[in-house]
Amino acid sequence: MVAVTQAVVKPRVPLEKQVMMTVNGDEAVAYAVKQSLVDVVAAYPITPQTIIVEKFSEFVADGEVKTEFVPVESEHSAMSACVGAAAAGARAFTATSSQGLALMVEILYIASALRLPIVMAVVNRALSAPINIHNDHSDAYLMRDSGWIQLFAENVQEAYDTTIQAFKIAEDERVLLPVAVNLDGFFLSHTLENIYMLPDEVVHEFLGGYRKVSKVKVDYFDEEVPLALNPARPLSFGNLDLYDYYFEHKVQQVEAMKSVPEVVREVNEEWFKLTGRRYGDGILDPFEVEDADVVLVGMGSGVGTMRSVVRRLRKEGLKVGLVKLRMFRPFPFKEVVEVLKNAKVVAVMEKGVSPGSYGPLFLEVNTALYDLKSRPALVNYVYGLGGRDLVPDLVEGMIRGLFKELEKGVFEPKLRYLGVRE
């Protein structure tokens, strides 16, 4: 089902002027990249991401894009190629999953520290071992401290929309940080949906054309990207940076993250006016939380299942709500407090596990709520590891169980597993 929020005011490009296509999530991302006037795509295959770069290679072979397509020998090289391209002023993109993301981690930190607005699709897949090619969020959590903005898509339409938005967010001069667009492997990457795509020229206008934002003529360069490698204006990237300056530069990187929420909201609202689609405020998308006693918090495709159950139980009179977290990094602490402060119980739904601790999303939500004088009880549900389905009956049983615990006032254990065989 396409997640389309109709505008009160008619969008600039109404649905009848958009193009409906039946595509899977990987193809949707490839089409979004095609429309985004990307200069360089570094490509290396890994399941379930491979379709993205395969499809884009067809666009290149057919002459539909003017993109330098670089088949590399590893994911480490893919991100290295993007770093070089972005430093030279190019709009750069790549995609990966799981072990591929693990291999490129070294360069992820470099990309963000150099303030390079690279966009990467992360088709979320479990990390080995044991070997598993299906979905959970362990690979996304692997990069949570790397300095990348992390956005999560619930469905194929959102994967398409968010990929285009990511370029605008990354390249905003208040941000200049890389963006990872996360979509669940197989649940989204290989699932066909009817989605609405914009005409190419509309996306070009939305992004302001190619990544040549300054009209300053410098010697033989007609246009330039500020803070890019340019022989006419010498600049260094990745210098040796010891105790003299390293601390200050890291703080600048942290400060840049503070601008991200405002930019994400602005881009989400601009997209709404353009297409009639928005995703909450771009950061959080709450559902039935105003008077909810029990509130679920989750990310990714599982949110759709949770929402359908919440909607059904609401009709029975149960005061249950849902908060879809669209932006995991930077983590929206203030926004989470505001939306959850009146709940009695918050169930953080985690598609990943941190052995020896609680789930990463749970720790963030717990931190956000810690300073409240009166705060909801928190429980952490780990579900869906390795691609296990989150079926509606599981969610319903969990919610009904939480209401029974609420009557008793006891919530133990805090860390729980939903759908695991014992």
Side-chain angles (χ1 to χ4, degrees), residues 129 294 317 342 348:
V294 174
N342 295 322
V348 180

Side-chain angles (χ1 to χ4, degrees), residues 58-66:
E58 294 176 12
F59 299 144
V60 174
D62 294 340
E64 296 183 41
V65 292
K66 298 178 180 178

Side-chain angles (χ1 to χ4, degrees), residues 140-141 143-145 148-152 182 283 299 325-332 350 360-362 364:
Y141 290 147
M143 66 181 298
R144 61 185 165 146
D145 297 325
W148 281 62
I149 299 164
Q150 291 181 275
L151 304 175
F152 282 77
N182 292 268
I283 297 172
M299 303 188 299
L325 189 72
R326 186 170 182 248
M327 185 179 77
F328 179 66
R329 279 293 185 272
F331 193 82
E350 199 88 50
L361 179 57
F362 175 86
E364 303 290 2

